[in-house]
Amino acid sequence: MSTKKELKILKNNDIKYILNKICSIYRCSCKALLSKEYIEVKGPLFSQICLLNEGERIDRIIAGLQKKNFYPYSVGLPIVKIKGHNNFSPLLPLGQLLVPYCKNIVKVGEKCASKLTYGKAVSVSHIYSFRYGIAISLMDDFIAFVKIKALRNQSEIIPVLDIGLYLREYG
Amino acid sequence: MQSINDYVKKYDRVFVYSPTAQAKLLAKKYGFLDYMVQRYLEIMDNPENFLMSCSYPLKKSIRCNNLKINCNELVNRMNEKGFSLSKIDWLSHGYLVTKLPARPSLGSTLEYMMGYYYIQGIASMIPAYVLNPTARDTVLDMAASPGGKTSQMAGLMENRGVILAVEKKKERIRKLQSNLNRLGVLNTILVRTDVRNIKGTGLSFSKILLDAPCSGEGLIPEDQTRKTKTSIDKLKSFYINQLELIKIAWNLLDDNGTLVYSTCSIAPEENELVVNYALDELNMSVEKVIGFPADPGVTEFMGVELNQDLKFCMRFYPHKQGTEGFFICRLRKN
C-alpha cells in the first residue's frame, strides 16, 4: 500500500453509498447531508471523508501544496473513516450533523450522558426497538454513537464512540 | 535589504546585560533571572507591581464558539451548572469565569466536549480579532497548534474562506486536529511541516497570523518555572527564529496583505526587535489598532532606539490589563 496520501474531491454519487449505509443503521434521512461538499483524504492505512466549504478554493491550495509534494494532514471536518471495502465507520463530528435527521435516538439525562463520556455503559428502564442508536442530551446535543443491549425490562446503552474521546485522547 | 545575520549583528548589544544592584535585588526577591528584571526596570513604569502580580494565577477565561452555539445560551447553560461567566466588554466572544463549582472542572463539562467553548487566555483571543479574517480571505496560520486562534478565525469567517494551518510537530498536530474537530471547523487545511517549506509552493495569502514560538515569558503567572527557564542564549535563538519566520510571512503575504505578529512573551527582543526588522528591512508598516486596553509598544530599549511606529503595537500585562503577558502588532505589506 502506498505511504503517500491522496486527495479526491468527491461527487454526490461517491459519498451517497457510504452515507446512505450509515444513515440506514441509525434510521436517518441523508438528503440534507448529500447536498454538501466532501473530499476524500486517502492515507496509507485508512481514508477519511471530510466535509468542507469552498471546495474550489481548497482545491487550489491543495494543488499548490502538491507542487512541493505536500499532502494535507487533514482537510475540513472528517466525518467518516474508511478502512477498506465496505468497512467504514462514522466519526464524532458526524454525530451532531445526523441528530436532526435520525429516528434511532436515545435521549439521556446529564448523569447518564456523563457516564457515556467516560466510555462506560449505562442501564435505563426503557426498551428500545433498535440495536444501534445516537445518544443525545436533553438539549439535543450529540453524546455518542451507541449500541443497545436489551435486558429484562431495561436496556443497556453501550457507547461505541463518544465525545469524551476528545478528552481521553488529547486532554 | 539587510540579511538577518547582519540585522542580528547590528543589535547584538541588546543581548549583553549588566544588571544593576536594584535589578539583582528584585530578581532575588521574586525569583527571576537578573537580566529579565533589568529589562522590566527599563520598559515598565511599575516593575515591582508586575513582579508581584506574577505570583498569582490569572482568572480563568473562555471563548464562546459561535460556530456551534449562541453565546447567551452558553452563559445560561454554564450558569445552571454552577459556573458564572462575565462578558469581557472588549472581546466579542470572551468571558471571564468568575465562579466555578467543585465539579465538573471547566475542561470536563459536556459543553466543553461538545465544542461550545474553548479555554483560552484573554490576551490570546486578541490576535484573531486584530487580523479580522473574513469569508473572502485565504489565511495562513503559521504555528497553529493547539488551535485556539485557528478555530477563532474560523468562527470569525463563519467557516467560509480558507485557512491553511501549519504545525511542525506530530504530537501537536494531533491535538490541533482534535480541537478543530471538536469545535466544528470546516474551512481549514492542516499541514504538518515546517512553515519554511510553504515557500516554493507558489501560494500566497491575504492574511497571515504569526503567533510565533517564543519563550513564554508572558505566562509566568500560570507557570512559575518560566521565571528562570530562558537563558539569554535561548532567548537569542527564539529571536533569530522569529526573524526568520516574519521574513517568511512577508514572502507569503499578498501585496497590501495583513500580517498579525504576536507572542505570549513580554520580551522586547522577541517582539519589538522582530517587528522593527519588518519595518526597517522589509518595508512593512504598522497599523494602529483601537478598541483594546493595551499599553503601547516599546520604542527604546537597552540604549537602542527603534522605529517610532512600534508604539502602535500592543502590550498586555497581568498587573495592568489582568491578562497573560502578550504582544500583538498588525502589519501591512507595502
Side-chain angles (χ1 to χ4, degrees), chain A residues 53-54 73-74 110 141 170, chain B residues 77 81 116 159 161 175 190:
Chain A
N53 281 335
E54 318 244 8
Y73 184 86
S74 163
E110 181 97 17
D141 303 306
Y170 304 104
Chain B
R77 282 188 179 211
K81 297 197 163 170
Y116 293 163
N159 254 339
K175 171 91 177 161
L190 298 192

Side-chain angles (χ1 to χ4, degrees), chain B residues 142-185:
Chain B
M142 291 178 69
S145 191
K149 297 177 191 76
T150 318
S151 57
Q152 187 182 0
M153 290 195 289
L156 295 172
M157 297 162 87
E158 296 172 331
N159 254 339
R160 313 297 305 191
V162 183
I163 302 172
L164 180 65
V166 179
E167 177 54 54
K168 190 175 166 183
K169 292 182 182 162
K170 192 175 174 183
E171 271 317 301
R172 287 174 64 84
I173 203 160
R174 283 187 181 158
K175 171 91 177 161
L176 170 64
Q177 186 182 24
S178 172
N179 276 330
L180 298 185
N181 291 351
R182 181 173 62 82
L183 296 160
V185 173

Side-chain angles (χ1 to χ4, degrees), chain B residues 83-136:
Chain B
F83 293 90
S84 286
L85 302 183
S86 161
K87 177 82 176 54
I88 300 164
D89 292 341
W90 41 278
L91 293 174
S92 304
H93 309 94
Y95 293 83
L96 268 180
V97 184
T98 51
K99 197 177 112 196
L100 293 112
R103 285 179 68 190
S105 70
L106 194 57
S108 67
T109 64
L110 286 177
E111 285 71 15
Y112 177 81
M113 289 182 247
M114 288 161 193
Y116 293 163
Y117 64 88
Y118 187 83
I119 302 170
Q120 191 168 356
I122 297 172
S124 91
M125 295 182 212
I126 302 169
Y129 291 120
V130 171
L131 188 64
N132 194 25
T134 68
R136 290 188 302 277

